[in-house]
mmCIF file of all heavy atoms in Angstrom:
data_model
loop_
_atom_site.group_PDB
_atom_site.id
_atom_site.type_symbol
_atom_site.label_atom_id
_atom_site.label_comp_id
_atom_site.label_asym_id
_atom_site.label_seq_id
_atom_site.Cartn_x
_atom_site.Cartn_y
_atom_site.Cartn_z
ATOM 1 N N ILE U 1 0.893 -1.137 -0.054
ATOM 2 C CA ILE U 1 -0.016 0.009 0.045
ATOM 3 C C ILE U 1 0.916 1.157 -0.032
ATOM 4 O O ILE U 1 1.795 1.315 0.794
ATOM 5 C CB ILE U 1 -0.904 0.025 1.183
ATOM 6 C CG1 ILE U 1 -1.857 -1.138 1.263
ATOM 7 C CG2 ILE U 1 -1.772 1.253 1.121
ATOM 8 C CD1 ILE U 1 -2.626 -1.206 2.438
ATOM 9 N N TYR U 2 0.663 2.121 -0.994
ATOM 10 C CA TYR U 2 1.565 3.380 -1.093
ATOM 11 C C TYR U 2 0.798 4.550 -0.541
ATOM 12 O O TYR U 2 -0.439 4.769 -0.816
ATOM 13 C CB TYR U 2 1.860 3.529 -2.576
ATOM 14 C CG TYR U 2 2.950 2.606 -3.098
ATOM 15 C CD1 TYR U 2 2.757 1.344 -3.229
ATOM 16 C CD2 TYR U 2 4.244 3.071 -3.242
ATOM 17 C CE1 TYR U 2 3.771 0.362 -3.677
ATOM 18 C CE2 TYR U 2 5.298 2.194 -3.767
ATOM 19 C CZ TYR U 2 5.000 0.873 -3.826
ATOM 20 O OH TYR U 2 6.033 -0.019 -4.304
ATOM 21 N N TYR U 3 1.437 5.243 0.401
ATOM 22 C CA TYR U 3 0.855 6.476 0.895
ATOM 23 C C TYR U 3 1.639 7.636 0.474
ATOM 24 O O TYR U 3 2.989 7.703 0.570
ATOM 25 C CB TYR U 3 0.849 6.276 2.474
ATOM 26 C CG TYR U 3 0.264 5.158 2.963
ATOM 27 C CD1 TYR U 3 0.798 3.887 3.352
ATOM 28 C CD2 TYR U 3 -1.128 5.207 3.384
ATOM 29 C CE1 TYR U 3 0.245 2.895 3.794
ATOM 30 C CE2 TYR U 3 -1.769 4.077 3.971
ATOM 31 C CZ TYR U 3 -1.184 2.950 4.156
ATOM 32 O OH TYR U 3 -1.675 1.793 4.667
ATOM 33 N N CYS U 4 1.017 8.735 0.382
ATOM 34 C CA CYS U 4 1.507 10.041 0.196
ATOM 35 C C CYS U 4 1.339 10.852 1.503
ATOM 36 O O CYS U 4 0.463 10.792 2.146
ATOM 37 C CB CYS U 4 1.274 10.893 -1.080
ATOM 38 S SG CYS U 4 -0.404 11.550 -1.163
ATOM 39 N N ALA U 5 2.342 11.760 1.784
ATOM 40 C CA ALA U 5 2.150 12.580 2.904
ATOM 41 C C ALA U 5 2.893 13.894 2.805
ATOM 42 O O ALA U 5 4.006 14.089 1.948
ATOM 43 C CB ALA U 5 2.923 11.912 4.134
ATOM 44 N N ALA U 6 2.402 15.020 3.349
ATOM 45 C CA ALA U 6 3.039 16.269 3.206
ATOM 46 C C ALA U 6 3.600 16.755 4.492
ATOM 47 O O ALA U 6 3.159 16.469 5.637
ATOM 48 C CB ALA U 6 1.806 17.371 2.970
ATOM 49 N N SER U 7 4.806 17.437 4.309
ATOM 50 C CA SER U 7 5.621 17.787 5.387
ATOM 51 C C SER U 7 6.115 19.246 5.279
ATOM 52 O O SER U 7 6.482 19.667 4.206
ATOM 53 C CB SER U 7 6.826 16.899 5.460
ATOM 54 O OG SER U 7 7.776 17.319 6.439
ATOM 55 N N ARG U 8 6.101 19.934 6.461
ATOM 56 C CA ARG U 8 6.600 21.313 6.575
ATOM 57 C C ARG U 8 8.147 21.316 7.108
ATOM 58 O O ARG U 8 8.652 22.259 7.321
ATOM 59 C CB ARG U 8 5.803 22.202 7.411
ATOM 60 C CG ARG U 8 4.465 22.518 6.895
ATOM 61 C CD ARG U 8 3.513 23.257 7.845
ATOM 62 N NE ARG U 8 3.227 22.397 9.035
ATOM 63 C CZ ARG U 8 2.534 22.754 10.078
ATOM 64 N NH1 ARG U 8 2.076 24.049 10.125
ATOM 65 N NH2 ARG U 8 2.232 21.930 11.138
ATOM 66 N N LEU U 9 8.631 20.070 7.330
ATOM 67 C CA LEU U 9 9.917 19.959 7.865
ATOM 68 C C LEU U 9 11.026 20.283 6.696
ATOM 69 O O LEU U 9 10.680 20.395 5.526
ATOM 70 C CB LEU U 9 10.275 18.543 8.251
ATOM 71 C CG LEU U 9 9.474 17.953 9.538
ATOM 72 C CD1 LEU U 9 9.563 16.396 9.551
ATOM 73 C CD2 LEU U 9 9.984 18.709 10.745
ATOM 74 N N LEU U 10 12.163 20.490 7.198
ATOM 75 C CA LEU U 10 13.290 20.698 6.252
ATOM 76 C C LEU U 10 13.357 19.470 5.281
ATOM 77 O O LEU U 10 13.075 18.373 5.825
ATOM 78 C CB LEU U 10 14.682 20.765 6.964
ATOM 79 C CG LEU U 10 14.629 22.057 7.869
ATOM 80 C CD1 LEU U 10 16.177 22.060 8.664
ATOM 81 C CD2 LEU U 10 14.775 23.350 7.039
ATOM 82 N N PHE U 11 13.607 19.737 3.974
ATOM 83 C CA PHE U 11 13.666 18.597 3.106
ATOM 84 C C PHE U 11 14.659 17.509 3.528
ATOM 85 O O PHE U 11 14.470 16.340 3.323
ATOM 86 C CB PHE U 11 14.131 19.181 1.737
ATOM 87 C CG PHE U 11 14.359 18.043 0.692
ATOM 88 C CD1 PHE U 11 13.344 17.429 0.107
ATOM 89 C CD2 PHE U 11 15.588 17.809 0.264
ATOM 90 C CE1 PHE U 11 13.637 16.337 -0.732
ATOM 91 C CE2 PHE U 11 15.805 16.699 -0.693
ATOM 92 C CZ PHE U 11 14.775 16.086 -1.166
ATOM 93 N N ARG U 12 15.740 17.822 4.176
ATOM 94 C CA ARG U 12 16.763 16.881 4.478
ATOM 95 C C ARG U 12 16.084 15.900 5.606
ATOM 96 O O ARG U 12 16.731 14.766 5.773
ATOM 97 C CB ARG U 12 17.945 17.586 5.087
ATOM 98 C CG ARG U 12 17.768 18.231 6.434
ATOM 99 C CD ARG U 12 19.097 18.895 6.934
ATOM 100 N NE ARG U 12 19.034 19.589 8.190
ATOM 101 C CZ ARG U 12 19.040 19.022 9.383
ATOM 102 N NH1 ARG U 12 19.407 17.710 9.377
ATOM 103 N NH2 ARG U 12 18.953 19.638 10.397
ATOM 104 N N LEU U 13 15.017 16.183 6.195
ATOM 105 C CA LEU U 13 14.391 15.296 7.131
ATOM 106 C C LEU U 13 13.232 14.538 6.540
ATOM 107 O O LEU U 13 12.605 13.620 7.200
ATOM 108 C CB LEU U 13 13.905 16.088 8.479
ATOM 109 C CG LEU U 13 14.881 16.956 9.168
ATOM 110 C CD1 LEU U 13 14.203 17.746 10.198
ATOM 111 C CD2 LEU U 13 16.124 16.086 9.630
ATOM 112 N N CYS U 14 12.864 14.742 5.290
ATOM 113 C CA CYS U 14 11.809 14.147 4.738
ATOM 114 C C CYS U 14 12.067 12.641 4.305
ATOM 115 O O CYS U 14 13.027 12.429 3.658
ATOM 116 C CB CYS U 14 11.422 14.926 3.486
ATOM 117 S SG CYS U 14 9.857 14.350 2.636
ATOM 118 N N VAL U 15 11.178 11.892 4.742
ATOM 119 C CA VAL U 15 11.314 10.401 4.538
ATOM 120 C C VAL U 15 12.703 9.921 5.130
ATOM 121 O O VAL U 15 13.350 9.022 4.552
ATOM 122 C CB VAL U 15 11.148 9.861 3.073
ATOM 123 C CG1 VAL U 15 10.992 8.435 2.848
ATOM 124 C CG2 VAL U 15 9.981 10.690 2.467
ATOM 125 N N GLN U 16 12.948 10.511 6.243
ATOM 126 C CA GLN U 16 14.208 10.070 6.944
ATOM 127 C C GLN U 16 13.841 9.697 8.505
ATOM 128 O O GLN U 16 12.936 10.218 8.913
ATOM 129 C CB GLN U 16 15.283 11.287 6.979
ATOM 130 C CG GLN U 16 15.651 11.808 5.615
ATOM 131 C CD GLN U 16 16.361 10.740 4.774
ATOM 132 O OE1 GLN U 16 17.393 10.040 5.296
ATOM 133 N NE2 GLN U 16 15.934 10.464 3.669
ATOM 134 N N LYS U 17 14.782 8.791 8.961
ATOM 135 C CA LYS U 17 14.604 8.452 10.339
ATOM 136 C C LYS U 17 15.439 9.273 11.315
ATOM 137 O O LYS U 17 16.531 9.652 11.025
ATOM 138 C CB LYS U 17 14.912 6.954 10.513
ATOM 139 C CG LYS U 17 13.945 6.070 9.888
ATOM 140 C CD LYS U 17 14.337 4.605 10.210
ATOM 141 C CE LYS U 17 13.337 3.604 9.669
ATOM 142 N NZ LYS U 17 13.701 2.215 9.901
ATOM 143 N N ASN U 18 14.723 9.595 12.425
ATOM 144 C CA ASN U 18 15.530 10.194 13.525
ATOM 145 C C ASN U 18 16.542 9.304 14.138
ATOM 146 O O ASN U 18 16.165 8.167 14.573
ATOM 147 C CB ASN U 18 14.488 10.671 14.595
ATOM 148 C CG ASN U 18 15.035 11.368 15.800
ATOM 149 O OD1 ASN U 18 16.241 11.158 16.184
ATOM 150 N ND2 ASN U 18 14.301 12.364 16.304
ATOM 151 N N PRO U 19 17.819 9.627 14.048
ATOM 152 C CA PRO U 19 18.879 8.569 14.467
ATOM 153 C C PRO U 19 18.712 8.391 15.921
ATOM 154 O O PRO U 19 19.213 7.295 16.407
ATOM 155 C CB PRO U 19 20.112 9.259 14.020
ATOM 156 C CG PRO U 19 19.813 10.775 14.079
ATOM 157 C CD PRO U 19 18.439 10.860 13.556
ATOM 158 N N PHE U 20 18.203 9.165 16.655
ATOM 159 C CA PHE U 20 18.004 8.912 18.254
ATOM 160 C C PHE U 20 16.886 8.121 18.568
ATOM 161 O O PHE U 20 16.893 7.438 19.616
ATOM 162 C CB PHE U 20 18.042 10.321 18.836
ATOM 163 C CG PHE U 20 19.133 11.170 18.667
ATOM 164 C CD1 PHE U 20 19.209 12.171 17.832
ATOM 165 C CD2 PHE U 20 20.335 10.976 19.360
ATOM 166 C CE1 PHE U 20 20.327 12.936 17.575
ATOM 167 C CE2 PHE U 20 21.545 11.701 19.183
ATOM 168 C CZ PHE U 20 21.445 12.760 18.289
ATOM 169 N N THR U 21 15.825 8.120 17.860
ATOM 170 C CA THR U 21 14.573 7.317 18.105
ATOM 171 C C THR U 21 14.322 6.136 17.243
ATOM 172 O O THR U 21 13.614 5.179 17.560
ATOM 173 C CB THR U 21 13.384 8.067 18.087
ATOM 174 O OG1 THR U 21 13.082 8.547 16.763
ATOM 175 C CG2 THR U 21 13.600 9.464 19.036
ATOM 176 N N GLY U 22 14.831 6.105 16.020
ATOM 177 C CA GLY U 22 14.716 5.235 14.932
ATOM 178 C C GLY U 22 13.357 5.292 14.161
ATOM 179 O O GLY U 22 12.990 4.602 13.403
ATOM 180 N N ASP U 23 12.569 6.450 14.572
ATOM 181 C CA ASP U 23 11.309 6.674 13.976
ATOM 182 C C ASP U 23 11.475 7.648 12.795
ATOM 183 O O ASP U 23 12.418 8.506 12.917
ATOM 184 C CB ASP U 23 10.234 7.174 14.971
ATOM 185 C CG ASP U 23 9.917 6.240 16.053
ATOM 186 O OD1 ASP U 23 9.884 5.008 15.813
ATOM 187 O OD2 ASP U 23 9.876 6.795 17.216
ATOM 188 N N TYR U 24 10.620 7.568 11.840
ATOM 189 C CA TYR U 24 10.559 8.537 10.761
ATOM 190 C C TYR U 24 10.234 9.922 11.392
ATOM 191 O O TYR U 24 9.267 10.042 12.248
ATOM 192 C CB TYR U 24 9.635 8.214 9.676
ATOM 193 C CG TYR U 24 10.153 7.079 8.712
ATOM 194 C CD1 TYR U 24 9.748 5.802 8.846
ATOM 195 C CD2 TYR U 24 11.066 7.364 7.740
ATOM 196 C CE1 TYR U 24 10.188 4.782 8.039
ATOM 197 C CE2 TYR U 24 11.497 6.370 6.980
ATOM 198 C CZ TYR U 24 11.069 5.082 7.048
ATOM 199 O OH TYR U 24 11.609 4.137 6.230
ATOM 200 N N TYR U 25 10.806 10.962 10.905
ATOM 201 C CA TYR U 25 10.445 12.246 11.175
ATOM 202 C C TYR U 25 8.896 12.431 10.795
ATOM 203 O O TYR U 25 8.517 12.015 9.779
ATOM 204 C CB TYR U 25 11.188 13.429 10.643
ATOM 205 C CG TYR U 25 12.555 13.492 11.098
ATOM 206 C CD1 TYR U 25 13.716 13.091 10.539
ATOM 207 C CD2 TYR U 25 12.827 14.139 12.423
ATOM 208 C CE1 TYR U 25 14.959 13.064 11.051
ATOM 209 C CE2 TYR U 25 14.083 14.204 12.917
ATOM 210 C CZ TYR U 25 15.264 13.750 12.191
ATOM 211 O OH TYR U 25 16.424 13.767 12.731
ATOM 212 N N PRO U 26 8.136 13.048 11.672
ATOM 213 C CA PRO U 26 6.628 13.091 11.432
ATOM 214 C C PRO U 26 6.197 13.908 10.165
ATOM 215 O O PRO U 26 6.825 15.055 9.955
ATOM 216 C CB PRO U 26 6.033 13.716 12.702
ATOM 217 C CG PRO U 26 7.189 14.423 13.288
ATOM 218 C CD PRO U 26 8.440 13.720 12.961
ATOM 219 N N MET U 27 5.124 13.400 9.521
ATOM 220 C CA MET U 27 4.622 14.229 8.551
ATOM 221 C C MET U 27 3.354 14.848 8.966
ATOM 222 O O MET U 27 2.963 14.624 10.004
ATOM 223 C CB MET U 27 4.327 13.329 7.249
ATOM 224 C CG MET U 27 5.486 12.414 6.750
ATOM 225 S SD MET U 27 6.852 13.367 6.139
ATOM 226 C CE MET U 27 6.303 13.785 4.383
ATOM 227 N N ASP U 28 2.854 16.028 8.188
ATOM 228 C CA ASP U 28 1.762 16.783 8.768
ATOM 229 C C ASP U 28 0.411 16.269 8.260
ATOM 230 O O ASP U 28 -0.617 16.283 9.003
ATOM 231 C CB ASP U 28 1.834 18.197 8.263
ATOM 232 C CG ASP U 28 3.118 18.928 8.894
ATOM 233 O OD1 ASP U 28 3.226 18.821 10.209
ATOM 234 O OD2 ASP U 28 3.992 19.404 8.115
ATOM 235 N N TYR U 29 0.340 15.688 7.111
ATOM 236 C CA TYR U 29 -0.909 15.229 6.512
ATOM 237 C C TYR U 29 -0.633 13.945 5.743
ATOM 238 O O TYR U 29 0.423 13.782 5.035
ATOM 239 C CB TYR U 29 -1.572 16.248 5.453
ATOM 240 C CG TYR U 29 -1.781 17.523 6.079
ATOM 241 C CD1 TYR U 29 -0.924 18.620 5.782
ATOM 242 C CD2 TYR U 29 -2.860 17.803 6.888
ATOM 243 C CE1 TYR U 29 -1.281 19.905 6.267
ATOM 244 C CE2 TYR U 29 -3.114 19.035 7.498
ATOM 245 C CZ TYR U 29 -2.231 20.074 7.221
ATOM 246 O OH TYR U 29 -2.579 21.293 7.679
ATOM 247 N N TRP U 30 -1.558 13.012 5.816
ATOM 248 C CA TRP U 30 -1.522 11.559 5.244
ATOM 249 C C TRP U 30 -2.629 11.331 4.379
ATOM 250 O O TRP U 30 -3.792 11.666 4.738
ATOM 251 C CB TRP U 30 -1.266 10.513 6.198
ATOM 252 C CG TRP U 30 0.095 10.465 6.886
ATOM 253 C CD1 TRP U 30 0.427 11.300 8.091
ATOM 254 C CD2 TRP U 30 1.190 9.672 6.606
ATOM 255 N NE1 TRP U 30 1.797 10.956 8.394
ATOM 256 C CE2 TRP U 30 2.184 9.999 7.609
ATOM 257 C CE3 TRP U 30 1.386 8.742 5.654
ATOM 258 C CZ2 TRP U 30 3.419 9.336 7.495
ATOM 259 C CZ3 TRP U 30 2.609 8.089 5.573
ATOM 260 C CH2 TRP U 30 3.610 8.364 6.452
ATOM 261 N N GLY U 31 -2.427 10.563 3.297
ATOM 262 C CA GLY U 31 -3.525 10.095 2.502
ATOM 263 C C GLY U 31 -3.816 8.715 3.038
ATOM 264 O O GLY U 31 -3.217 8.102 3.961
ATOM 265 N N LYS U 32 -4.827 8.073 2.391
ATOM 266 C CA LYS U 32 -5.436 6.776 2.874
ATOM 267 C C LYS U 32 -4.760 5.637 2.220
ATOM 268 O O LYS U 32 -4.765 4.589 2.670
ATOM 269 C CB LYS U 32 -6.866 6.712 2.612
ATOM 270 C CG LYS U 32 -7.762 7.673 3.364
ATOM 271 C CD LYS U 32 -7.741 7.485 4.913
ATOM 272 C CE LYS U 32 -8.605 8.391 5.625
ATOM 273 N NZ LYS U 32 -8.614 8.199 7.068
ATOM 274 N N GLY U 33 -3.946 5.890 1.112
ATOM 275 C CA GLY U 33 -3.153 4.856 0.509
ATOM 276 C C GLY U 33 -3.854 4.265 -0.770
ATOM 277 O O GLY U 33 -5.059 4.346 -0.816
ATOM 278 N N THR U 34 -3.174 3.654 -1.533
ATOM 279 C CA THR U 34 -3.509 2.992 -2.826
ATOM 280 C C THR U 34 -2.774 1.733 -2.922
ATOM 281 O O THR U 34 -1.444 1.710 -2.712
ATOM 282 C CB THR U 34 -3.408 3.894 -4.036
ATOM 283 O OG1 THR U 34 -3.936 3.166 -5.159
ATOM 284 C CG2 THR U 34 -2.045 4.292 -4.370
ATOM 285 N N LEU U 35 -3.323 0.608 -3.256
ATOM 286 C CA LEU U 35 -2.633 -0.642 -3.297
ATOM 287 C C LEU U 35 -2.055 -0.931 -4.598
ATOM 288 O O LEU U 35 -2.753 -0.772 -5.722
ATOM 289 C CB LEU U 35 -3.696 -1.868 -2.979
ATOM 290 C CG LEU U 35 -3.124 -3.211 -3.001
ATOM 291 C CD1 LEU U 35 -2.024 -3.458 -2.053
ATOM 292 C CD2 LEU U 35 -4.345 -4.260 -2.880
ATOM 293 N N VAL U 36 -0.709 -1.282 -4.676
ATOM 294 C CA VAL U 36 0.007 -1.669 -5.846
ATOM 295 C C VAL U 36 0.302 -3.156 -5.579
ATOM 296 O O VAL U 36 0.920 -3.597 -4.708
ATOM 297 C CB VAL U 36 1.216 -0.836 -5.996
ATOM 298 C CG1 VAL U 36 2.036 -1.469 -7.217
ATOM 299 C CG2 VAL U 36 0.823 0.551 -6.409
ATOM 300 N N THR U 37 -0.114 -3.984 -6.614
ATOM 301 C CA THR U 37 0.250 -5.436 -6.512
ATOM 302 C C THR U 37 1.000 -5.821 -7.865
ATOM 303 O O THR U 37 0.544 -5.580 -8.882
ATOM 304 C CB THR U 37 -1.063 -6.231 -6.614
ATOM 305 O OG1 THR U 37 -1.841 -5.951 -5.391
ATOM 306 C CG2 THR U 37 -0.797 -7.708 -6.568
#
């Protein structure tokens, strides 16, 4: 399932993980997703 998301973060943090937590930096808005098979 592919999701798009919008972010106000610096580009260098987009689709990147926080090295201290292991979590992706948060995005502001998310779509519901579309399935690719």
